[in-house]
Amino acid sequence: MTQTLKQWLATATSSPELAWVVDTVAGACAEIAAVLRLAPLAGQTGLAGATNVQGEAQKQLDVISNDIFVRHLRANAAVSILVSEELDEALHLNDEGGFMVACDPLDGSSNLDVNVTVGTIFSILAVDPKAPDLLQPGTRQLAAGYAAYGPATSLVLSFGDKVATFAIDASGQFALVEDGVSVPSASAEYAINTARARFWDQATSAYVAENVAGETGVAGKRYNMRWIGSMVADIHRILMRGGIFLYPLDSETASKGGRLRLLYEANPMAFLIEAAGGRATTGPQRILEVQPTSIHQRVPVILGSAEEVARVQAHYQRL
Ligand code: AHG
Ligand code: MN
Ligand code: MN
């Protein structure tokens, strides 16, 4: 018998309140999935005409997805704070709530006009509602996950011990697909935006050069490159069949600290990948141990199959 998300949550965590927050986030994702499916006919795939705090042009669907998140979380008394890519400041929701949610409501939104998989990424932390600490390292996450809006809508979830995947069934509910996903330790696929090669540091250049050399180089095997441009879609592939994703610090992103955001992109993905047996690093440091200094902070991200990430880490140690 297929388990519903609610049934699975009842045994996956000992905290009914945390389960409630996850269930609320899943409800928001299900609504976003339904909106995305009809967006081209509703004329919602274009720009919103505004810029977010990070200087990025917001798409209509970035704003709509953020609004859906706000509405669902506001209705959950256990959530006191929402940090979102699309909100300049942390949003105070409920006075007594013991949880904070950090989210990227729509990841990969530059792919919306071409109907390629996009997603939602989320991280859940405990906070004191009277004095919320917004800047906690990723090791303190209680749960994290993402929804991938592809041919199927997938929800991938972890409380830190294991990773489970769900898919939306015919009635619009998430049902369990696999409990205990693990990332294969080795792989022959890597994901990096190679158009940025001239900005790369030595460690990144050396690792990619080894992969390009394939069976004629030190890696000793032939690689394929895959870059979707939606982190959720790239990470979902890696979680399912192995590989490595790199958005390293490069000479162009160095002044900002990197490209991807720590609280709602790097940390939740690092939490999932580690729970599935992979590794996640900035190059020199474990992502989950980075002490945040601001809610929209950016970091370098290198994560995936343990053996691949270890090879990149070895290059960083040589620098
Ligand atoms: P977002 O759409 O939330 O701003 O995130 C986009 C991110 C991530 O999804 C993806 O991996 C990366 O940006 C793509 O970067 P490039 O444009 O350099 O390919
Ligand atoms: Mn994103
Ligand atoms: Mn986004």
Side-chain angles (χ1 to χ4, degrees), residues 141-256:
Q141 292 172 104
L142 300 177
Y146 63 80
Y149 311 111
T153 293
S154 302
L155 180 73
V156 177
L157 196 57
S158 180
F159 291 100
D161 51 346
K162 57 179 181 172
V163 175
T165 63
F166 303 81
I168 284 192
D169 68 13
S171 70
Q173 303 296 310
F174 283 108
L176 183 66
V177 175
E178 194 180 346
D179 200 357
V181 175
S182 61
V183 191
S185 61
S187 150
E189 281 181 348
Y190 65 102
I192 188 166
N193 182 349
T194 54
R196 307 188 59 79
R198 69 197 159 102
F199 305 122
W200 289 347
D201 60 19
Q202 234 186 313
T204 306
S205 301
Y207 171 75
V208 173
E210 285 171 11
N211 290 358
V212 171
E215 62 272 43
T216 67
V218 294
K221 61 181 176 187
R222 183 169 294 205
Y223 279 77
N224 261 328
M225 201 285 281
R226 296 284 181 268
W227 182 254
I228 296 172
S230 286
M231 186 190 201
V232 164
D234 279 311
I235 300 298
H236 193 61
R237 181 190 63 251
I238 290 167
L239 201 59
M240 294 296 115
R241 68 174 192 215
I244 181 170
F245 173 96
L246 304 100
Y247 217 117
L249 195 67
D250 61 38
S251 61
E252 198 181 46
T253 58
S255 62
K256 293 181 180 168

Side-chain angles (χ1 to χ4, degrees), residues 52-276:
N52 68 16
V53 67
Q54 311 170 59
E56 296 162 343
Q58 285 176 312
K59 297 278 167 67
Q60 290 177 69
L61 286 164
D62 285 323
V63 176
I64 292 167
S65 302
N66 183 68
D67 291 348
I68 291 171
F69 245 78
V70 171
R71 177 161 45 79
H72 280 255
L73 293 182
R74 203 187 284 286
N76 184 320
V79 181
S80 59
I81 301 284
L82 172 65
V83 166
S84 163
E85 177 184 338
E86 306 306 336
L87 298 171
D88 299 6
E89 308 285 343
L91 184 67
H92 184 92
L93 292 172
N94 297 292
D95 286 343
E96 304 297 324
F99 296 95
M100 153 181 161
V101 176
C103 79
D104 177 353
L106 203 51
D107 172 68
S109 49
S110 66
N111 280 319
L112 283 167
D113 48 353
V114 290
N115 196 21
V116 162
T117 297
V118 292
T120 296
I121 314 173
F122 59 90
S123 162
I124 303 173
L125 295 128
V127 283
D128 173 355
K130 306 249 169 339
D133 178 5
L134 308 182
L135 302 177
Q136 304 178 54
T139 46
R140 303 259 289 271
Q141 292 172 104
L142 300 177
Y146 63 80
Y149 311 111
T153 293
S154 302
L155 180 73
V156 177
L157 196 57
S158 180
F159 291 100
D161 51 346
K162 57 179 181 172
V163 175
T165 63
F166 303 81
I168 284 192
D169 68 13
S171 70
Q173 303 296 310
F174 283 108
L176 183 66
V177 175
E178 194 180 346
D179 200 357
V181 175
S182 61
V183 191
S185 61
S187 150
E189 281 181 348
Y190 65 102
I192 188 166
N193 182 349
T194 54
R196 307 188 59 79
R198 69 197 159 102
F199 305 122
W200 289 347
D201 60 19
Q202 234 186 313
T204 306
S205 301
Y207 171 75
V208 173
E210 285 171 11
N211 290 358
V212 171
E215 62 272 43
T216 67
V218 294
K221 61 181 176 187
R222 183 169 294 205
Y223 279 77
N224 261 328
M225 201 285 281
R226 296 284 181 268
W227 182 254
I228 296 172
S230 286
M231 186 190 201
V232 164
D234 279 311
I235 300 298
H236 193 61
R237 181 190 63 251
I238 290 167
L239 201 59
M240 294 296 115
R241 68 174 192 215
I244 181 170
F245 173 96
L246 304 100
Y247 217 117
L249 195 67
D250 61 38
S251 61
E252 198 181 46
T253 58
S255 62
K256 293 181 180 168
R259 164 76 164 92
L260 298 170
R261 280 58 56 108
L262 175 60
L263 262 59
Y264 41 82
E265 290 178 320
N267 269 344
M269 291 308 196
F271 190 78
L272 286 172
I273 288 286
E274 285 200 7

Side-chain angles (χ1 to χ4, degrees), residues 33-59:
V35 168
L36 290 174
R37 211 167 296 128
L38 299 176
L41 292 173
Q44 291 169 328
T45 51
L47 291 172
T51 305
N52 68 16
V53 67
Q54 311 170 59
E56 296 162 343
Q58 285 176 312
K59 297 278 167 67

